[in-house]
């Protein structure tokens, strides 16, 4: 039956259709817009990956990922511990901008990531992506701050660190509950067997990939391991020469391999950006040859392994020493995905999409990077090869070594931050000191 539409109704339909399409991204073509996976480990050190010099265990799947993309050797996170580092990743902004830069959130904390922040998940969802987080959130366990209210369509995992499971905080007489395990806003388990966390997250990622919609997807796989207490499934116990820690890393490597294998089986690997990195330095792993570890603003606390692969787009087997950070991922993925960043949103990261696609011919600019300690104070700044430290709350023994001296290091020549050249370059010290003061004044 032929249905006639009156002229004024026809015009109305055209206006409505035009209005709807005008709100869509200009290149909203699911066949061309890449899927995005960020595989984020917890407390994995700079040297806790085979291609970064790991000892006592192997990571063949992560190493293969590096051979298929870019491996970064000067990649940093904006904090020394979990909560602020994850906040920086998802906002592209220093956590101090929204008062989430000090320490971490606990099961007794009332706050979380400000709902005024426009997260990477919100950005991508608003521009045609499905979004999911699998694993550890740690940006606020109260319902208002949970993932489903921060841009994620799906959440499968836990709200904070695995060591907070049923933990008693004697200083404030607070007993935390068994570790909550959620699917979206529904509590599905309390105190899960942590031996199987990595395996469960991997299986969930695979299931989501296989049952995806026609839209491109953003998947944030935030593993709990190798944060202590360490846990690995029975299939990986005894696998490494380095005991349980090596077993845990080998299971994480297996997880990367299983996800990549699924992408290939689904014939979408070539159109998926896969990013592997860690939230901060190691507590018990290795950051060699860097100085320091988790919770310290020495490079060992904030320089982490990082690999970005996108077959057919990013050149294979590149090792990059250019300075980059997790803050850069927000503007970079926005550009690559065709997502529009609000004009009034001030980001601290840099769009490095041109560099990823053409690393041999693109040069990234020098820019300052600020190191905030666990106590919330700025302790250091890096600009180019220079890193200036002005104080230390951790990683410096006040009783044995005395007051921490202002220290300057040439990281190109002294990656271990051992040779203080502060007296040789007073002009560099003055310039970097002023840079720190100006940034603090801005904030």
């Amino acid at each position: 039956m032929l249905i006639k539409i009156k002229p004024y109704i026809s015009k109305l339909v055209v206006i409505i259709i035009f209005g709807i399409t005008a709100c869509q991204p200009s290149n909203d073509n699911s066949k061309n817009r890449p899927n995005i996976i960020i595989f984020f480990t917890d407390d994995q050190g700079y040297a806790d990956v085979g291609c970064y010099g790991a000892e006592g265990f192997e990571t063949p799947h992560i190493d293969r990922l590096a051979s298929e993309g870019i491996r970064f050797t000067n990649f940093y996170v904006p904090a020394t511990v979990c909560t602020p580092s994850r906040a920086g990743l998802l906002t592209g902004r220093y956590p101090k901008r929204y008062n989430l830069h000090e320490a971490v959130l606990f099961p007794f904390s009332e706050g979380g990531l400000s709902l005024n922040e426009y997260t990477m998940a919100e950005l991508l969802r608003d521009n045609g992506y499905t979004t999911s987080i699998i694993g550890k959130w740690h940006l606020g366990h109260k319902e208002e701050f949970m993932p489903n209210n921060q841009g994620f369509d799906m959440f499968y995992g836990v709200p904070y660190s695995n060591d907070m499971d049923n933990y008693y905080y004697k200083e404030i007489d607070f007993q935390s509950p068994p570790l909550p395990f959620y699917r979206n806003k529904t509590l599905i388990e309390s105190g899960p067997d942590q031996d199987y966390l990595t395996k469960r997250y991997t299986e969930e990622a695979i299931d989501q990939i296989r049952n995806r919609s026609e839209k491109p997807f953003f998947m944030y796989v935030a593993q709990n391991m190798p944060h202590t207490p360490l846990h690995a499934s029975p299939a990986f116990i005894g696998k490494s020469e380095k005991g349980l820690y090596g077993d845990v890393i080998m299971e994480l490597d297996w997880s990367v391999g299983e996800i990549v294998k699924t992408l290939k089986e689904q014939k979408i690997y070539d159109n998926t950006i896969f990013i592997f990195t860690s939230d901060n330095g190691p507590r018990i792993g290795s950051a060699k040859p860097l100085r320091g570890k988790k919770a310290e603003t020495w490079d060992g606390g904030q320089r982490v392994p990082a690999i970005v692969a996108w077959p057919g787009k990013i050149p294979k087997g590149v090792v990059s020493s250019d300075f980059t950070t997790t803050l850069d991922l927000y503007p970079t993925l926005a550009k690559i995905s065709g997502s529009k960043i609000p004009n009034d949103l001030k980001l601290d990261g840099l769009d490095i999409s041109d560099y990823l696609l053409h690393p041999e011919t693109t040069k990234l600019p020098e820019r300052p990077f600020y190191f905030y300690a666990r106590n919330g104070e700025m302790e250091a700044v890096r600009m180019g090869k220079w890193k200036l430290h002005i104080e230390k709350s951790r990683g410096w023994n006040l009783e044995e070594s005395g007051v921490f001296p202002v220290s300057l290091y040439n990281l190109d020549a002294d990656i271990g931050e051992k040779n203080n050249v502060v007296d040789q370059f007073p002009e560099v010290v003055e310039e970097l000191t002023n840079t720190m003061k100006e940034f603090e004044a801005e904030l």
Side-chain angles (χ1 to χ4, degrees), residues 180-192:
F181 199 111
Y182 287 87
R183 181 173 292 281
N184 297 319
K185 296 182 179 182
T186 302
L187 180 66
I188 60 174
E189 193 174 348
S190 294

Side-chain angles (χ1 to χ4, degrees), residues 218-355:
F218 165 50
M219 181 181 291
Y220 173 36
V221 184
Q223 294 281 2
N224 281 97
M225 300 295 142
H227 195 291
T228 56
L230 298 171
H231 288 271
S233 63
F236 287 88
I237 296 296
K239 279 276 189 180
S240 79
E241 299 173 3
K242 203 164 185 174
L244 182 55
Y245 189 82
D247 299 343
V248 166
I249 299 295
M250 290 186 72
E251 185 164 23
L252 291 170
D253 178 72
W254 164 83
S255 179
V256 169
E258 289 298 296
I259 294 173
V260 168
K261 183 173 73 173
T262 304
L263 294 171
K264 291 180 177 178
E265 289 173 351
Q266 295 292 305
K267 302 188 187 310
I268 57 173
Y269 179 60
D270 288 349
N271 196 35
T272 299
I273 299 173
F274 199 115
I275 300 167
F276 170 88
T277 190
S278 173
D279 67 343
N280 47 249
R283 179 182 177 187
I284 59 176
S286 173
K288 290 181 180 179
L290 308 176
R291 180 176 183 177
K293 58 184 180 180
K294 177 183 179 179
E296 300 175 1
T297 52
W298 300 111
D299 260 25
Q302 291 185 242
R303 195 193 299 201
V304 293
I307 295 164
V308 182
W310 186 10
K313 299 290 186 178
I314 293 177
K316 292 184 177 182
V318 176
V319 179
S320 170
S321 61
D322 282 60
F323 173 81
T324 43
T325 84
T326 51
L327 299 178
D328 300 333
L329 296 180
Y330 190 114
T332 300
L333 294 174
K335 176 67 174 297
I336 290 174
S337 65
S339 301
K340 181 174 174 54
I341 298 173
N343 293 329
D344 60 349
L345 180 58
K346 182 177 179 57
L347 296 177
D348 293 305
L350 178 71
D351 172 14
I352 63 169
S353 57
D354 287 343
Y355 181 80

Side-chain angles (χ1 to χ4, degrees), residues 51-65:
C51 57
Y52 283 85
E55 299 175 347
F57 54 87
E58 299 175 343
T59 58
H61 299 292
I62 300 173
D63 295 348
R64 188 174 303 115
L65 192 72

